[in-house]
Amino acid sequence: MKKYFNDLSKLLKENIRDYGMFIALGVIFLIFAIANSNFISPRNLSNLLNQTGYIAILSIGVTLVIVIRHIDLSIGYVSGFIGAIAATLMMSYGVPPLLAIFLVMIVGLIIGLWHGFLVAFMKMPAFVATLAGMLIFRGALLRVTQGTGTIVINNDFFNNISNGYMPDFVEGSGYFYIALTIAVVVWLMYGLSTIRNQAFLKHEETKPSPVNLSVKILLSGFVVAVIPFLVVWLTDLNDTSRYIMTLITGLLATGLFVYSETTNKQFKQKHDLNSPTKKAFTTKVGIGVLFIMGIPAILPVLPNILNALPGSPEYHIVSLLVGFVAVAFYIYSDLRNYRIKKNYGFEVLSPYMLLTKIIFISLMIMSVAVILASHRGIPWTLIILGTIVAIYHFLTNFTILGRYIYAVGGNPQAAELSGISVKMVTMFVFGSMGVLSAVSGVLFASRMQSASPTAGTLFELQAIAGAFVGGVSASGGVGKIIGSVIGALVMASLSNGMQLLGINISIQYIVQGLVLVAAVIFDIRTRKNA
């Protein structure tokens, strides 16, 4: 036990830059929850996420801008201007909301590329270029709204983007179709892995014929997906029979998954490829079986179990399902990264620390899912934010472009000499910032159900503060997308908690400023000690 806590202490000290904001967010939640129990109520947590969404999206974009050693002061009024354009298109010209959103995304991209052009090609300092942009789009916003003042948006679809929640569509046969979807995904993974393995044998005489390979893949899909679908579709089953078919579909998918993983391991061993160890193989298969079989087995009976608890609210099942899927995806990706690092000889966490990390983060994800499920479910804002975070996390961590961005931020001159086009990277980052400003503007206009002349005021300062609190370095080259989102959530949580406690607005601004100063000092100190 002593060794465990020593390892935990060492882990926190060595990764304080990565884990500091998570700890700070946990402390803030704990303090405000003790001071006012309404802070962690389902309703307040849902409102907090909706209020944070449009700022967090701006923080994601401005993170990349700061990483490449620039700044963008225009994003607040660009966001407000885009929202006003969307409102005008829908209310004055009758443009359908989806088309209006698409058009304003293009406008945002053009604005971002214009700023990028001024910075990259005209060699204008980003501070000056975007300060000019801030003034221009503040005037443009006033111009668009001068006729009517506030433009009220009377469109339910558009307004639900930032005020609506995922529908709870899982009932009756819905559980079976979830199991069927899982089975189809397992079958597709099996087919892709089989084709990939056979492509490796293209120069060997033992390679099976394409016809036999196709028959094998199609037959497996027919067994695990088509037959169960036809049974449910062509027969009138009662609830018990549907549940049995859901279990059978889960079992068939589980069997195909185990068979696929076993044959993949045998193939790698036979051809001297990087085969997983017995422990890694067992862990992966075990988690896969729990997920593939667990959801069809537990999900249909979960509402009855939860609703039977004393004083239990009526839970939003789709939100719980999203929580389960998020946990499963996190566990899979974390174990995959752990295995890859270990195979290449990088330093990794001890098994106990890895397990602690997985359990802690999984509990946090499911806690949020359960709290939201006990209210009205997961808001669309969180789905949009989560999708953008996933895209940019992948972009910055697993693509060549992401490595170029951090290389430019670390040393622009060296990056240019190594063959990286600093101008094109700058154009991309500012173009991305323009698109995200447009997304933020749409979310804010949807949240307010209107576009006003004051929309976007101070958005840029809140977004930049969130990025710095989230660990972005003022000197460039350092910063993570998830950290910036957590930073935005920290700032929003401080504001929300102090409002619930009735603290004067002047004190709120002072506290937020002190937190920002503390975050930058923390960044400077940890960089010196790194």
Side-chain angles (χ1 to χ4, degrees):
M1 184 62 70
K2 184 178 180 180
K3 183 179 183 302
Y4 173 83
F5 284 107
N6 288 336
D7 290 345
L8 181 61
S9 176
K10 181 181 177 182
L11 174 67
L12 293 176
K13 288 180 180 178
E14 292 178 351
N15 298 275
I16 189 66
R17 285 178 64 91
D18 295 332
Y19 300 151
M21 283 307 101
F22 290 93
I23 296 172
L25 183 63
V27 170
I28 289 170
F29 266 67
L30 181 62
I31 291 173
F32 284 128
I34 294 173
N36 189 329
S37 59
N38 289 327
F39 180 76
I40 57 171
S41 66
R43 181 184 296 276
N44 187 64
L45 183 59
S46 181
N47 288 334
L48 176 62
L49 292 172
N50 279 327
Q51 293 166 5
T52 307
Y54 52 89
I55 297 298
I57 288 172
L58 289 177
S59 289
I60 292 171
V62 85
T63 294
L64 299 187
V65 175
I66 297 172
V67 162
I68 64 169
R69 304 187 177 194
H70 293 300
I71 197 68
D72 193 337
L73 299 178
S74 69
I75 55 179
Y77 284 113
V78 169
S79 175
F81 171 70
I82 291 293
I85 292 294
T88 301
L89 288 173
M90 289 184 291
M91 295 299 101
S92 299
Y93 298 98
V95 176
L98 285 176
L99 179 58
I101 292 170
F102 175 74
L103 292 175
V104 297
M105 292 299 127
I106 295 176
V107 174
L109 175 62
I110 294 171
I111 292 171
L113 291 176
W114 167 246
H115 288 146
F117 172 78
L118 293 178
V119 174
F121 291 93
M122 303 304 294
K123 303 301 179 183
M124 187 180 294
F127 182 90
V128 177
T130 58
L131 178 61
M134 181 178 75
L135 297 174
I136 290 169
F137 291 106
R138 183 179 186 182
L141 171 61
L142 294 174
R143 183 75 178 176
V144 171
T145 57
Q146 70 176 357
T148 58
T150 299
I151 305 173
V152 178
I153 302 174
N154 296 315
N155 187 290
D156 292 338
F157 176 86
F158 185 86
N159 292 337
N160 278 335
I161 293 174
S162 203
N163 294 289
Y165 298 81
M166 289 185 67
D168 198 2
F169 53 81
V170 180
E171 57 183 13
S173 298
Y175 297 111
F176 165 75
Y177 288 111
I178 289 175
L180 186 65
T181 301
I182 294 173
V184 171
V185 171
V186 171
W187 171 68
L188 289 173
M189 292 173 63
Y190 164 70
L192 290 173
S193 65
T194 302
I195 294 171
R196 184 179 65 247
N197 289 343
Q198 300 309 317
F200 179 81
L201 301 175
K202 60 183 178 179
H203 298 302
E204 297 191 16
E205 297 179 357
T206 57
K207 180 180 178 181
S209 69
V211 175
N212 292 339
L213 188 64
S214 300
V215 170
K216 181 181 178 182
I217 295 173
L218 292 175
L219 184 61
S220 63
F222 185 80
V223 171
V224 302
V226 176
I227 291 178
F229 170 73
L230 291 175
V231 170
V232 172
W233 186 46
L234 297 176
T235 58
D236 186 17
L237 301 178
N238 57 31
D239 291 342
T240 303
S241 299
R242 274 199 301 263
Y243 179 58
I244 292 173
M245 282 305 304
T246 301
L247 291 179
I248 291 173
T249 306
L251 284 171
L252 292 171
T254 301
L256 181 61
F257 171 75
V258 173
Y259 172 76
S260 175
E261 291 300 318
T262 303
T263 53
N264 277 339
K265 182 181 179 182
Q266 292 172 347
F267 180 86
K268 290 178 179 179
Q269 289 175 338
K270 180 179 178 181
H271 297 280
D272 296 324
L273 300 175
N274 188 17
S275 176
T277 63
K278 183 178 180 181
K279 184 177 181 181
F281 174 78
T282 305
T283 302
K284 180 181 179 181
V285 171
I287 293 174
V289 169
L290 285 175
F291 175 73
I292 296 169
M293 193 63 228
I295 288 181
I298 297 174
L299 196 61
V301 298
L302 187 60
N304 296 330
I305 296 173
L306 293 175
N307 295 331
L309 298 175
S312 172
E314 186 173 345
Y315 283 91
H316 193 274
I317 302 303
V318 170
S319 298
L320 294 176
L321 177 61
V322 171
F324 283 128
V325 172
V327 168
F329 178 77
Y330 163 71
I331 293 174
Y332 169 76
S333 61
D334 215 37
L335 290 175
R336 181 176 178 273
N337 290 336
Y338 176 83
R339 188 181 72 251
I340 292 173
K341 289 180 179 179
K342 190 172 182 180
N343 289 339
Y344 283 97
F346 290 102
E347 184 179 357
V348 295
L349 300 176
S350 68
Y352 290 111
M353 288 299 100
L354 178 65
L355 182 61
T356 300
K357 178 186 174 185
I358 289 175
I359 291 175
F360 177 76
I361 295 180
S362 298
L363 286 175
M364 292 299 295
I365 294 172
M366 279 311 303
S367 296
V368 172
V370 169
I371 291 173
L372 293 176
S374 65
H375 178 46
R376 296 173 62 186
I378 294 177
W380 286 118
T381 300
L382 183 58
I383 298 297
I384 295 170
L385 176 60
T387 302
I388 293 174
V389 168
I391 291 171
Y392 276 81
H393 177 73
F394 178 81
L395 170 71
T396 54
N397 288 280
F398 302 104
T399 67
I400 295 174
L401 178 58
R403 290 193 287 272
Y404 284 178
I405 290 171
Y406 284 98
V408 170
N411 191 324
Q413 292 77 23
E416 190 75 57
L417 291 173
S418 66
I420 298 173
S421 176
V422 175
K423 291 180 180 179
M424 289 297 103
V425 169
T426 303
M427 289 289 289
F428 171 82
V429 169
F430 276 95
S432 165
M433 184 72 259
V435 173
L436 292 180
S437 297
V439 175
S440 173
V442 168
L443 284 178
F444 183 72
S446 171
R447 176 75 177 161
M448 297 293 104
Q449 302 183 20
S450 63
S452 70
T454 59
T457 304
L458 297 181
F459 281 15
E460 68 281 353
L461 300 186
Q462 295 177 49
I464 293 170
F468 279 123
V469 169
V472 176
S473 175
S475 60
V478 176
K480 293 186 176 181
I481 298 301
I482 294 177
S484 295
V485 173
I486 296 298
L489 187 57
V490 165
M491 300 300 285
S493 300
L494 279 172
S495 177
N496 180 270
M498 289 189 287
Q499 287 175 13
L500 287 177
L501 295 178
I503 295 175
N504 189 277
I505 186 66
S506 60
I507 303 299
Q508 292 184 35
Y509 281 122
I510 292 171
V511 170
Q512 290 178 3
L514 291 174
V515 168
L516 179 58
V517 170
V520 176
I521 292 175
F522 175 79
D523 168 67
I524 294 171
R525 292 291 185 183
T526 51
R527 274 193 293 117
K528 285 183 178 180
N529 296 330

